[in-house]
Amino acid sequence: MNVNQSAPPLPPFGQPQPIYPGYHQSSYGGQPGSTAAPTPYGAYNGPVPGYQQTPPPGVSRAPASSGAPPASTAQGPCGQTAYGQFGQGDVQNGPSSGVQMQRLPGSQPFASAPLAPVVSQPAVLQPYGPPPTSAQVTAQLAGMQISGAVAPAPPASGLGYGPPTSLASASGSFPNSGLYGSYPQGQAPPLGQGHPGAQPPQRSVPPQASSFTPPASGGPRMPSMTGPLLPGQSFGGPPVSQPNHVSSPPPQALPPGTQMTGPPGPPPPMHSSQQPGYQLQQNGSFGPARGPQSNYGSPYPGAATFGSQPGPPQPLPPKRLDPDAIPSPIQVIEDDRNNRGSEPFVTGVRGQVPPLVTTNFLVKDQGNASPRYIRCTSYNIPCTSDMAKQAQVPLAAVIKPLARLPPEEASPYVVDHGESGPLRCNRCKAYMCPFMQFVEGGRRFQCCFCSCINDVPPQYFQHLDHTGKRVDAYDRPELSLGSYEFLATVDYCKNNKFPIPPAFIFMIDVSYNAVRSGLVRLLCEELKSLLDFLPREGGAEESAIRVGFVTYNKVLHFYNVKSSLAQPQMMVVSDVGDMFVPLLDGFLVNVIESRAVITSLLDQIPEMFADTRETETVFAPVIQAGMEALKAAECAGKLFLFHTSLPIAEAPGKLKNRDDRKLINTDKEKTLFQPQSGAYQTLAKECVAQGCCVDLFLFPNQYVDVATLSVVPQLTGGSVYKYACFQVENDQERFLSDLRRDVQKVVGFDAVMRVRTSTGIRAVDFFGAFYMSNTTDVELAGLDGDKTVTVEFKHDDRLNEENGALLQCALLYTSCAGQRRLRIHNLALNCCTQLADLYRNCETDTLINYMAKFAYRGVLSSPVKTVRDTLITQCAQILACYRKNCASPSSAGQLILPECMKLLPVYLNCVLKSEVLQPGAEVTTDDRAYVRQLVTSMDVAETNVFFYPRLLPLTKSPIENTTEPPAVRASEERLSNGDIYLLENGLNLFLWVGASVQQGVVQSLFGVSSFSQITSGLSVLPVLDNLLSKKVRGLIDSLRAQRSRYMKLIVVKQEDKLEMLFKHFLVEDKSLSGGASYVDFLCHMHKEIRQLLS
Ligand SMILES: [Zn+2]
């Protein structure tokens, strides 16, 4: 079998024409499928202006409940914090443990600390020929290394890494908690509708061993060189055999130790620390000296002194590692954009590493799924598990089955095979795909996953051409494309009945806090118009989705909004302990038919509860009610819950305030992330069985126990939004923007996802928002275009280079119109017997996505410190393995990073410093649970910017230039006090104003005459008629449009109190919560690697 497709001619279905009814040979007919980018919200004009303040008669006001709300409850800790995604309040926390952030001036004595990381990228056997500037850089770097240094490294201190012995203690991987990931088989009833003839049960595998086996003592040591070793060369990998994203031409031409990633321009100064301009910087706690300076006299490329320097090192003043000399995320992103942004990414070739997520590129599907659907940690998988264990590189795919595509790219074709349904392998049940091999003149096909020979049904028969390919291959999406859909037959439906269209139920907290903040009024007003924008199938004129309404506090109110009624009717259910749905007829309705009654209801709700004194709420019974309503209506659907407080009313799922910050950094910290009641998991299981997805909008004024309340959204494929201390005037834009997007999202309901693999590897672990009742089926009550599932693979046999490895992700789901479909994504990967091939085809952004999710799940079951240590150890093992097997042994003192992974340390450090793993004093327990939950479903682009924010200088580029300015590194050093910067991470958006910004700029942007007059914490820029104002506001709009959640702007002035909040996002710097700076972390990583190698 050869899955390495030659690039076929462009198929004749280059246009988006997804519906594929009754297959025709010559062309594809039909309209775009429902999975096309959702209808933009352009026509939406905001709240209806003519809002009626006076409620029409017809529904009686709810009786005021007992108990006046204590003012303190309503206020909570919110008085002080009108800003912040996470509602951070105090930013008073100073540097922890007295570690100074300032750099120490001057030099330090030559000491025993040979911690001189020298970052060196693999040169790919290119001839020496560095431009003079690079040679200088080389000299600088090489000068910082110790030749063959073996002196013990000083103990780390003060940064929370623990002593070197932490390696041992952290060597075990923490067990799967079972809460959010894999569930033991048999814990939930199997879904009846999925995958007829399921795959044979698969063995479970033990958790990945994280102990590192040095090649010298056993593991297969791969020859690291296939070409001549140049003198002094510190990298000796085989020649690059195929293109990867190592694509910065000038650096590639440099010898090892020279590949610089700093910004272009004048070279960093020579190694002499006396040279003016060379930055001496104190590195914090990894020891006093960065590394001794040896006399580096030989001109490069004499090379005699490179890597292994003759003669004793001479005591020269030590130097700090130049930040410009360590790998720069900005440079890597820029290089990839420049090198790979102009050409479309054509998926016909097996094992190609796609451009980075930060690069804009088009995709042409020629047989493998687009990277928008699937990204892998490596596109070249080790052939054996021994090799994989040695490298410690996690083998994982981040899958976004319903990803939205840019308008230029066609959404998957829908293939209809009629009553016979999709063609599948009889044994493993894999779906027909481009990698299946037709044999015996086309009468049979051999499965590319399990090698079973299957008969081709007569109606599917086609002759083969002289190459053995079916002559109709390019007319059939399932034979020529990486991604496509099949219409499912009734066999794929629950109870063997075709589904009816799903329903949305809006469930609105009307307790005192919700009313008082203005939420109830705002929401009801918005819904009146938003209901016109429910998701639609393809070109359908109206949405098939029905809607229903519930309000609640301690009791639930159901509304009959049947079109024949003159006014809505309310039914109160006060027995929340045994929830039932008091009405069936008239609860779920068509929006257009019941328009008048719905509008009347939404007008009346704010009035009915305007005087409520009820502060207590229930929560689990609300979800139960919504789920029962869908069950009664025999449909799948989504609940939109708008909730404000900890549910303390007497009811199932009642919670208590168990927040306790004293648990941080103790073994009990994990309990802060665990749900406090098992009731929510049971409820979630019932929801999943019904195809009931729950989206939760939280408006807390104080602790609401996000960890528990988010269990049902998490397990049902839903989303959680949190607006701490919600006030209409401050937060309306963010909330409405999120709500609009959420309601309009195309969603697949009642879904089951299965990832099949070719013999040799299989999916063993899953991360994301879903439920699993067995070890293979990912059950998703709902799945939208933003959600990803990260899947980890392990070997169960040998792979071979010729066949490679195949993945097939099959998602069975119900579309918004109630159509049952299968979406198939196929991806072929290469396999290697050389470790260097693995390291050359990795994708660090995807690795970080996996590692963050792995760690964030780990905090449920292990102390946070253990989780952090595990990450550090794994990273060190990955890099040490590279160092040992792929780089030349002649340069022991150097830190040598694989080109594709040179950003692994900086990004991993960002994960380690994140709220979840190392919270600052201002981060609440709910914030941490919220972020933990969010990251679990993020795609690679989202984790990338979330962990390493984008920092954009605004006045550097010409004002006429409206394109996005090039980013700078997220460090205070990069801020000029004469400039203005935008910083975003997908959730937060800051505008930082330097204290010395020109008065004209201040006037143009803020409409005030001086820096001091700018309001700190401002969240809206004034609309001013000048180029700069338009440019900046336009840029803010464009950043927001790129993200799945609305980012509220916060204006931060230099030296202002709010600046502390902003500095949290300057992730290359040491953080106030104790997180290491990038430079320090790199030194630490180097030390860990050296320990592993010694
Ligand atoms: Zn098969």
Side-chain angles (χ1 to χ4, degrees), residues 897-924:
L897 301 172
E899 174 68 25
C900 290
M901 289 189 191
K902 63 185 177 189
L903 298 180
L904 189 61
V906 60
Y907 285 164
L908 186 74
N909 189 37
C910 296
V911 174
L912 294 167
K913 294 159 73 166
S914 62
E915 295 90 336
V916 173
L917 298 183
Q918 198 161 14
E922 79 287 359
V923 179
T924 67

mmCIF file of all heavy atoms in Angstrom, residues 897-924:
data_model
loop_
_atom_site.group_PDB
_atom_site.id
_atom_site.type_symbol
_atom_site.label_atom_id
_atom_site.label_comp_id
_atom_site.label_asym_id
_atom_site.label_seq_id
_atom_site.Cartn_x
_atom_site.Cartn_y
_atom_site.Cartn_z
ATOM 1 N N LEU A 897 19.082 23.328 20.230
ATOM 2 C CA LEU A 897 17.652 23.068 20.099
ATOM 3 C C LEU A 897 17.327 22.674 18.671
ATOM 4 O O LEU A 897 17.878 23.234 17.725
ATOM 5 C CB LEU A 897 16.863 24.327 20.447
ATOM 6 C CG LEU A 897 17.072 24.880 21.852
ATOM 7 C CD1 LEU A 897 16.385 26.223 21.998
ATOM 8 C CD2 LEU A 897 16.543 23.902 22.883
ATOM 9 N N PRO A 898 16.427 21.734 18.499
ATOM 10 C CA PRO A 898 15.999 21.413 17.139
ATOM 11 C C PRO A 898 15.311 22.635 16.524
ATOM 12 O O PRO A 898 14.587 23.349 17.216
ATOM 13 C CB PRO A 898 14.995 20.273 17.320
ATOM 14 C CG PRO A 898 14.948 19.963 18.767
ATOM 15 C CD PRO A 898 15.723 20.975 19.522
ATOM 16 N N GLU A 899 15.524 22.829 15.268
ATOM 17 C CA GLU A 899 14.961 23.996 14.606
ATOM 18 C C GLU A 899 13.455 24.096 14.826
ATOM 19 O O GLU A 899 12.915 25.150 15.155
ATOM 20 C CB GLU A 899 15.283 23.928 13.102
ATOM 21 C CG GLU A 899 14.636 25.009 12.259
ATOM 22 C CD GLU A 899 15.196 26.404 12.557
ATOM 23 O OE1 GLU A 899 16.341 26.493 13.027
ATOM 24 O OE2 GLU A 899 14.457 27.380 12.336
ATOM 25 N N CYS A 900 12.764 22.989 14.648
ATOM 26 C CA CYS A 900 11.299 23.019 14.774
ATOM 27 C C CYS A 900 10.846 23.215 16.209
ATOM 28 O O CYS A 900 9.679 23.455 16.459
ATOM 29 C CB CYS A 900 10.692 21.715 14.274
ATOM 30 S SG CYS A 900 10.807 21.509 12.528
ATOM 31 N N MET A 901 11.759 23.037 17.147
ATOM 32 C CA MET A 901 11.360 23.130 18.548
ATOM 33 C C MET A 901 12.090 24.238 19.276
ATOM 34 O O MET A 901 12.111 24.242 20.502
ATOM 35 C CB MET A 901 11.654 21.814 19.265
ATOM 36 C CG MET A 901 10.773 20.681 18.877
ATOM 37 S SD MET A 901 11.104 19.335 20.011
ATOM 38 C CE MET A 901 10.227 18.023 19.191
ATOM 39 N N LYS A 902 12.659 25.151 18.544
ATOM 40 C CA LYS A 902 13.472 26.120 19.260
ATOM 41 C C LYS A 902 12.618 27.033 20.138
ATOM 42 O O LYS A 902 13.140 27.686 21.032
ATOM 43 C CB LYS A 902 14.351 26.920 18.300
ATOM 44 C CG LYS A 902 13.641 27.771 17.294
ATOM 45 C CD LYS A 902 14.682 28.374 16.351
ATOM 46 C CE LYS A 902 14.019 29.190 15.255
ATOM 47 N NZ LYS A 902 15.008 29.587 14.250
ATOM 48 N N LEU A 903 11.321 27.061 19.895
ATOM 49 C CA LEU A 903 10.461 27.867 20.755
ATOM 50 C C LEU A 903 9.831 27.058 21.887
ATOM 51 O O LEU A 903 9.060 27.592 22.677
ATOM 52 C CB LEU A 903 9.361 28.533 19.926
ATOM 53 C CG LEU A 903 9.845 29.499 18.843
ATOM 54 C CD1 LEU A 903 8.664 30.095 18.102
ATOM 55 C CD2 LEU A 903 10.712 30.603 19.444
ATOM 56 N N LEU A 904 10.147 25.775 21.931
ATOM 57 C CA LEU A 904 9.528 24.959 22.977
ATOM 58 C C LEU A 904 9.801 25.512 24.381
ATOM 59 O O LEU A 904 8.872 25.643 25.178
ATOM 60 C CB LEU A 904 10.003 23.500 22.849
ATOM 61 C CG LEU A 904 9.297 22.479 23.738
ATOM 62 C CD1 LEU A 904 7.805 22.413 23.446
ATOM 63 C CD2 LEU A 904 9.904 21.085 23.561
ATOM 64 N N PRO A 905 11.044 25.874 24.709
ATOM 65 C CA PRO A 905 11.258 26.407 26.070
ATOM 66 C C PRO A 905 10.448 27.674 26.357
ATOM 67 O O PRO A 905 9.823 27.778 27.411
ATOM 68 C CB PRO A 905 12.760 26.682 26.104
ATOM 69 C CG PRO A 905 13.341 25.736 25.105
ATOM 70 C CD PRO A 905 12.323 25.654 24.008
ATOM 71 N N VAL A 906 10.462 28.624 25.443
ATOM 72 C CA VAL A 906 9.767 29.882 25.760
ATOM 73 C C VAL A 906 8.267 29.645 25.897
ATOM 74 O O VAL A 906 7.606 30.152 26.806
ATOM 75 C CB VAL A 906 10.077 30.992 24.722
ATOM 76 C CG1 VAL A 906 9.671 30.614 23.328
ATOM 77 C CG2 VAL A 906 9.404 32.302 25.124
ATOM 78 N N TYR A 907 7.712 28.831 25.030
ATOM 79 C CA TYR A 907 6.276 28.585 25.108
ATOM 80 C C TYR A 907 5.926 27.740 26.331
ATOM 81 O O TYR A 907 4.921 27.985 26.996
ATOM 82 C CB TYR A 907 5.788 27.888 23.833
ATOM 83 C CG TYR A 907 5.682 28.799 22.630
ATOM 84 C CD1 TYR A 907 5.585 28.277 21.342
ATOM 85 C CD2 TYR A 907 5.659 30.186 22.762
ATOM 86 C CE1 TYR A 907 5.480 29.099 20.218
ATOM 87 C CE2 TYR A 907 5.557 31.012 21.651
ATOM 88 C CZ TYR A 907 5.475 30.468 20.382
ATOM 89 O OH TYR A 907 5.369 31.281 19.279
ATOM 90 N N LEU A 908 6.756 26.762 26.603
ATOM 91 C CA LEU A 908 6.453 25.929 27.771
ATOM 92 C C LEU A 908 6.512 26.761 29.052
ATOM 93 O O LEU A 908 5.690 26.602 29.949
ATOM 94 C CB LEU A 908 7.434 24.758 27.873
ATOM 95 C CG LEU A 908 7.030 23.795 28.991
ATOM 96 C CD1 LEU A 908 5.822 22.974 28.570
ATOM 97 C CD2 LEU A 908 8.175 22.892 29.384
ATOM 98 N N ASN A 909 7.467 27.668 29.091
ATOM 99 C CA ASN A 909 7.547 28.540 30.261
ATOM 100 C C ASN A 909 6.256 29.346 30.444
ATOM 101 O O ASN A 909 5.795 29.572 31.548
ATOM 102 C CB ASN A 909 8.760 29.472 30.117
ATOM 103 C CG ASN A 909 9.033 30.264 31.375
ATOM 104 O OD1 ASN A 909 8.868 29.760 32.488
ATOM 105 N ND2 ASN A 909 9.431 31.519 31.217
ATOM 106 N N CYS A 910 5.663 29.749 29.339
ATOM 107 C CA CYS A 910 4.400 30.490 29.411
ATOM 108 C C CYS A 910 3.285 29.608 29.990
ATOM 109 O O CYS A 910 2.446 30.074 30.756
ATOM 110 C CB CYS A 910 3.993 30.993 28.030
ATOM 111 S SG CYS A 910 5.151 32.176 27.337
ATOM 112 N N VAL A 911 3.289 28.348 29.608
ATOM 113 C CA VAL A 911 2.289 27.428 30.169
ATOM 114 C C VAL A 911 2.519 27.281 31.672
ATOM 115 O O VAL A 911 1.582 27.332 32.470
ATOM 116 C CB VAL A 911 2.366 26.054 29.470
ATOM 117 C CG1 VAL A 911 1.430 25.052 30.135
ATOM 118 C CG2 VAL A 911 2.035 26.186 27.988
ATOM 119 N N LEU A 912 3.792 27.136 32.041
ATOM 120 C CA LEU A 912 4.113 26.955 33.459
ATOM 121 C C LEU A 912 3.713 28.167 34.296
ATOM 122 O O LEU A 912 3.389 28.041 35.470
ATOM 123 C CB LEU A 912 5.622 26.703 33.617
ATOM 124 C CG LEU A 912 6.141 25.400 33.017
ATOM 125 C CD1 LEU A 912 7.658 25.406 32.946
ATOM 126 C CD2 LEU A 912 5.671 24.217 33.847
ATOM 127 N N LYS A 913 3.760 29.340 33.684
ATOM 128 C CA LYS A 913 3.450 30.574 34.407
ATOM 129 C C LYS A 913 1.981 30.950 34.351
ATOM 130 O O LYS A 913 1.587 31.989 34.863
ATOM 131 C CB LYS A 913 4.234 31.736 33.773
ATOM 132 C CG LYS A 913 5.709 31.652 33.919
ATOM 133 C CD LYS A 913 6.419 32.505 32.871
ATOM 134 C CE LYS A 913 6.299 33.986 33.159
ATOM 135 N NZ LYS A 913 7.251 34.775 32.351
ATOM 136 N N SER A 914 1.196 30.141 33.667
ATOM 137 C CA SER A 914 -0.193 30.536 33.456
ATOM 138 C C SER A 914 -0.984 30.487 34.761
ATOM 139 O O SER A 914 -0.545 29.898 35.739
ATOM 140 C CB SER A 914 -0.826 29.616 32.412
ATOM 141 O OG SER A 914 -0.829 28.286 32.883
ATOM 142 N N GLU A 915 -2.141 31.093 34.751
ATOM 143 C CA GLU A 915 -2.987 31.203 35.945
ATOM 144 C C GLU A 915 -3.217 29.860 36.623
ATOM 145 O O GLU A 915 -3.282 29.759 37.834
ATOM 146 C CB GLU A 915 -4.378 31.754 35.585
ATOM 147 C CG GLU A 915 -4.430 33.149 35.064
ATOM 148 C CD GLU A 915 -4.312 33.203 33.560
ATOM 149 O OE1 GLU A 915 -3.745 32.256 32.956
ATOM 150 O OE2 GLU A 915 -4.786 34.189 32.982
ATOM 151 N N VAL A 916 -3.381 28.844 35.797
ATOM 152 C CA VAL A 916 -3.746 27.552 36.356
ATOM 153 C C VAL A 916 -2.569 26.942 37.108
ATOM 154 O O VAL A 916 -2.724 26.397 38.200
ATOM 155 C CB VAL A 916 -4.235 26.606 35.240
ATOM 156 C CG1 VAL A 916 -4.448 25.198 35.768
ATOM 157 C CG2 VAL A 916 -5.525 27.141 34.628
ATOM 158 N N LEU A 917 -1.381 27.053 36.541
ATOM 159 C CA LEU A 917 -0.239 26.364 37.130
ATOM 160 C C LEU A 917 0.564 27.232 38.099
ATOM 161 O O LEU A 917 1.336 26.715 38.897
ATOM 162 C CB LEU A 917 0.686 25.836 36.024
ATOM 163 C CG LEU A 917 0.062 24.800 35.090
ATOM 164 C CD1 LEU A 917 1.082 24.284 34.091
ATOM 165 C CD2 LEU A 917 -0.530 23.634 35.879
ATOM 166 N N GLN A 918 0.419 28.541 38.010
ATOM 167 C CA GLN A 918 1.161 29.407 38.928
ATOM 168 C C GLN A 918 0.395 30.719 39.109
ATOM 169 O O GLN A 918 0.722 31.737 38.523
ATOM 170 C CB GLN A 918 2.568 29.679 38.373
ATOM 171 C CG GLN A 918 3.520 30.180 39.430
ATOM 172 C CD GLN A 918 4.961 29.995 38.997
ATOM 173 O OE1 GLN A 918 5.259 29.739 37.843
ATOM 174 N NE2 GLN A 918 5.884 30.132 39.931
ATOM 175 N N PRO A 919 -0.644 30.672 39.931
ATOM 176 C CA PRO A 919 -1.536 31.824 40.016
ATOM 177 C C PRO A 919 -0.909 32.983 40.772
ATOM 178 O O PRO A 919 -0.228 32.783 41.776
ATOM 179 C CB PRO A 919 -2.725 31.272 40.786
ATOM 180 C CG PRO A 919 -2.151 30.194 41.641
ATOM 181 C CD PRO A 919 -1.031 29.590 40.842
ATOM 182 N N GLY A 920 -1.135 34.171 40.288
ATOM 183 C CA GLY A 920 -0.766 35.359 41.034
ATOM 184 C C GLY A 920 -1.822 35.625 42.098
ATOM 185 O O GLY A 920 -2.881 34.984 42.124
ATOM 186 N N ALA A 921 -1.520 36.578 42.951
ATOM 187 C CA ALA A 921 -2.420 36.859 44.066
ATOM 188 C C ALA A 921 -3.769 37.378 43.594
ATOM 189 O O ALA A 921 -4.782 37.260 44.290
ATOM 190 C CB ALA A 921 -1.773 37.879 44.993
ATOM 191 N N GLU A 922 -3.802 37.958 42.393
ATOM 192 C CA GLU A 922 -5.049 38.557 41.936
ATOM 193 C C GLU A 922 -5.952 37.551 41.235
ATOM 194 O O GLU A 922 -7.079 37.868 40.886
ATOM 195 C CB GLU A 922 -4.745 39.733 41.002
ATOM 196 C CG GLU A 922 -4.376 39.372 39.562
ATOM 197 C CD GLU A 922 -2.987 38.764 39.390
ATOM 198 O OE1 GLU A 922 -2.263 38.625 40.393
ATOM 199 O OE2 GLU A 922 -2.639 38.420 38.249
ATOM 200 N N VAL A 923 -5.467 36.358 41.003
ATOM 201 C CA VAL A 923 -6.243 35.373 40.257
ATOM 202 C C VAL A 923 -7.120 34.579 41.227
ATOM 203 O O VAL A 923 -6.628 34.014 42.196
ATOM 204 C CB VAL A 923 -5.302 34.414 39.493
ATOM 205 C CG1 VAL A 923 -6.102 33.371 38.733
ATOM 206 C CG2 VAL A 923 -4.428 35.207 38.536
ATOM 207 N N THR A 924 -8.406 34.551 40.953
ATOM 208 C CA THR A 924 -9.318 33.854 41.854
ATOM 209 C C THR A 924 -9.399 32.374 41.492
ATOM 210 O O THR A 924 -8.997 31.951 40.402
ATOM 211 C CB THR A 924 -10.732 34.448 41.768
ATOM 212 O OG1 THR A 924 -11.266 34.154 40.466
ATOM 213 C CG2 THR A 924 -10.735 35.945 41.980
#
